[in-house]
Amino acid sequence: MNRTTPRNSDHQSAEIGPVHPVGRPMALISLVAACFAASALVLLTQTEHVALLLCNLAIVSLLAFNFTAIYTPRTYLFSSGFWTALFFGFYFVLKSTEYFGEPENPWVVATLAYCSIFLVFFNASYLLSSRGQRPQASPERFTVKSSHRLAITCTVVFMASKVLNYLAVAAVVPGGYNQVELAQSTQNQGMAYIFRAFSIGQFALLMLMAFYFIHRRHGSYLLACIAVYLLDAAGSASRGGLIVLILSVFYLYDRYVKRISPLWLVAIAPVLIFIVSFFGYARSIEIGSVDVYLDAFRYFLDDSEMIWRLFMGRLDLLPTVSSAMLAHANGELQQLWGSSYVGIFTHFIPRNLWPSKPPLTAAYMTAAVLPGNFDAGVLVYPTMVLEGFLNFGYAGIALSGAFAGYLSHRYDRWMSSRRLGPTFFYLAFFTFPMGLIAEGIHSNFVAFSLYSVALLWILLELLYRTGALQRVSRRNCGHAKGRSLLRRAPLPPGSSERTS
């Protein structure tokens, strides 16, 4: 007997999450054929860069395979595959265009080839992880008991965290300062864990955002918090924070209000590029200075091409990773043989308590490739590709790609649920796996992700104790007795309910 699935059932994941890896052969063949045809035209005029073009073609084809074999156009937007495509598309494929017209760099070609190996195992691991499984989202672990208490508690936590963070920064970095000076004062000798604690306010904002877009309630609280967040992000030149907030709103609007066309993301791309370039330039001079911001704005008006040049300069992974490959070949970077992975378990120990603590993979690479940056306290990300290669060679690249693919599959399961809990956790780790692939496993990203889990637990415990949330029994998995505010989450216009 057929039974209609409730509107917000997790069994709709074939509609709103990743699909079974059944594949769409014709779409895949057409897309890959188009890539080959476009590249063939370029090859006719750029014969001296055949290897570079073929490596780029391999990356694009593997990203296209990820899209066509795993997702639908509807489920792809904001998925782990989407973020992976943005990462490799910008940092490697787009950046590699700067090498055309120059003598071919074999280490740039090698880096792109290693990225292709990573993506092969990334896709294979994702497909194997979902093979034979019915797409099903993670179950709900809590429901809302009092929406009013939820809104008030999240607002208080958010506002308090912003005030405390401002006071803490003013205490350790008085006066004008730039990004490097701020990082040196707040990220070293265990200080990072203290300042990271204030991100609990960010999680409170995400909870409030998720609840509002699902239920359209308490919008005034959300608007007040977003206004404060925007002022703080602009004042602190937090370009990443601004971009993530904008894309998070797009994600929630697309999911719970009305489906948006991907063309809207293309339309706002110039705004996002401007944010990256403008705040990146301003914070290198002085953070929060109105005069610096005005001078930077006038400078960009006089030389608008600088916006694109600064943006492309920010895409620094391909040149640094290829330089690290050369340093490894010259013996300047030694093989790690798994030692960096072991360092994950000792990363939480502050260096002032253990001065000889093994450095992060990023620190190890930066010290060898860009010693000036290292002395200034600026680290360059090594990527999981280089980290895997330094540990176990080609096998390390393959294992890293497989690990990232498996975690991406788990992440997409959160995305496939329309309930408050999974949506909140999805937003808490928004853009995954970009950070992991960029920084590697022995990195601040992994350490702070684990730290964030603890902060999420503290926030949820606070919401339980204030009567805002109530736990759901594991046996019920989202079917708690009594009336729950999370029973239904409306589908965007045009969505259809499925039957099973």
Side-chain angles (χ1 to χ4, degrees):
M1 181 177 65
N2 290 338
R3 178 172 59 85
T4 302
T5 307
R7 271 179 173 260
N8 68 329
S9 170
D10 289 335
H11 294 290
Q12 293 186 68
S13 50
E15 169 67 21
I16 58 178
V19 299
H20 271 308
V22 294
R24 285 169 290 280
M26 289 306 299
L28 175 61
I29 293 173
S30 300
L31 191 55
V32 174
C35 292
F36 270 99
S39 298
L41 292 176
V42 180
L43 282 170
L44 295 176
T45 58
Q46 299 282 348
T47 54
E48 68 274 19
H49 295 293
V50 172
L52 190 62
L53 285 166
L54 289 177
C55 287
N56 277 328
L57 174 60
I59 293 175
V60 172
S61 299
L62 289 164
L63 294 175
F65 176 84
N66 178 272
F67 168 56
T68 56
I70 296 174
Y71 303 95
T72 67
R74 173 72 186 106
T75 62
Y76 186 68
L77 200 61
F78 302 113
S79 67
S80 62
F82 174 79
W83 299 120
T84 302
L86 285 184
F87 176 79
F88 284 100
F90 277 98
Y91 280 99
F92 291 94
V93 176
L94 178 61
K95 185 65 175 181
S96 69
T97 60
E98 294 185 340
Y99 291 89
F100 290 106
E102 299 180 1
E104 190 164 88
N105 187 330
W107 298 108
V108 170
V109 174
T111 299
L112 294 173
Y114 294 159
C115 289
S116 300
I117 296 174
F118 179 91
L119 287 172
V120 167
F121 286 88
F122 178 92
N123 288 337
S125 176
Y126 192 110
L127 292 171
L128 291 174
S129 298
S130 57
R131 184 177 182 181
Q133 295 182 8
R134 177 192 175 104
Q136 184 176 1
S138 301
E140 186 70 298
R141 297 306 183 192
F142 57 80
T143 59
V144 175
K145 186 177 181 180
S146 171
S147 65
H148 188 63
R149 290 183 180 181
L150 176 72
I152 291 178
T153 304
C154 288
T155 301
V156 170
V157 171
F158 173 78
M159 296 296 184
S161 70
K162 288 301 178 185
V163 172
L164 292 174
N165 182 70
Y166 177 81
L167 294 175
V169 171
V172 300
V173 199
Y177 52 86
N178 58 30
Q179 179 60 28
V180 173
E181 294 168 341
L182 177 64
Q184 290 174 341
S185 301
T186 62
Q187 302 299 315
N188 296 323
Q189 303 300 324
M191 293 291 288
Y193 293 102
I194 297 176
F195 282 89
R196 188 69 177 181
F198 300 126
S199 62
I200 191 173
Q202 171 78 6
F203 297 138
L205 175 62
L206 295 178
M207 174 67 81
L208 200 56
M209 289 172 59
F211 179 81
Y212 171 75
F213 276 95
I214 292 174
H215 301 288
R216 316 289 199 281
R217 301 184 64 180
H218 305 302
S220 58
Y221 291 93
L222 177 61
L223 287 176
C225 290
I226 287 181
V228 172
Y229 182 89
L230 290 175
L231 289 174
D232 177 68
S236 60
S238 177
R239 55 189 181 184
L242 288 169
I243 291 174
V244 168
L245 177 67
I246 293 171
L247 294 179
S248 296
V249 170
F250 266 78
Y251 163 74
L252 291 169
Y253 186 87
D254 173 77
R255 190 167 181 76
Y256 296 109
V257 180
K258 182 180 179 181
R259 290 182 177 179
I260 61 174
S261 169
L263 294 178
W264 278 106
L265 295 180
V266 177
I268 67 168
V271 177
L272 302 182
I273 291 174
F274 176 80
I275 290 174
V276 171
S277 301
F278 176 80
F279 286 107
Y281 175 79
R283 72 179 189 172
S284 66
I285 303 173
E286 183 178 343
I287 293 177
S289 172
V290 176
D291 292 335
V292 170
Y293 286 5
L294 291 176
D295 289 342
F297 188 74
R298 286 192 289 265
Y299 177 54
F300 282 6
L301 285 179
D302 294 337
D303 187 5
S304 57
E305 293 183 358
M306 179 60 68
I307 298 175
W308 181 252
R309 291 199 298 269
L310 287 175
F311 175 74
M312 290 297 292
R314 178 67 182 85
L315 306 177
D316 54 0
L317 293 184
L318 177 58
T320 53
V321 172
S322 59
S323 297
M325 293 290 184
L326 174 60
H328 177 267
N330 293 335
E332 300 169 15
L333 273 177
Q334 302 298 321
Q335 202 74 19
L336 296 175
W337 300 114
S339 61
S340 67
Y341 298 139
V342 176
I344 299 170
F345 302 101
T346 60
H347 180 73
F348 68 94
I349 302 175
R351 193 167 295 279
N352 55 348
L353 299 179
W354 185 11
S356 60
K357 184 178 71 171
L360 296 173
T361 307
Y364 177 63
M365 183 199 75
T366 306
V369 177
L370 298 169
N373 289 36
F374 180 79
D375 293 338
V378 178
L379 301 183
V380 180
Y381 296 153
T383 74
M384 290 183 75
V385 178
L386 176 64
E387 184 183 46
F389 181 78
L390 291 178
N391 279 281
F392 301 114
Y394 297 112
I397 298 175
L399 291 173
S400 297
F403 182 61
Y406 170 76
L407 292 181
S408 295
H409 173 258
R410 304 296 297 180
Y411 177 76
D412 282 342
R413 290 192 63 187
W414 277 338
M415 184 183 178
S416 64
S417 174
R418 300 183 61 80
R419 299 177 184 270
L420 177 62
T423 300
F424 168 61
F425 290 123
Y426 174 82
L427 290 174
F429 298 96
F430 200 56
T431 75
F432 185 86
M434 285 184 72
L436 177 64
I437 298 176
E439 295 193 37
I441 296 176
H442 185 203
S443 63
N444 285 326
F445 175 83
V446 172
F448 287 150
S449 293
L450 297 175
Y451 191 46
S452 295
V453 171
L455 294 176
L456 291 173
W457 179 82
I458 293 173
L459 177 63
L460 292 177
E461 282 295 319
L462 180 61
L463 293 173
Y464 291 140
R465 294 180 182 277
T466 57
L469 298 179
Q470 62 182 358
R471 290 181 172 86
V472 174
S473 170
R474 288 180 177 270
R475 292 175 298 178
N476 294 332
C477 292
H479 301 290
K481 295 180 180 180
R483 183 176 179 271
S484 170
L485 291 174
L486 297 181
R487 289 286 181 177
R488 289 180 178 270
L491 291 170
S495 299
S496 59
E497 296 183 355
R498 302 193 61 186
T499 60
S500 57

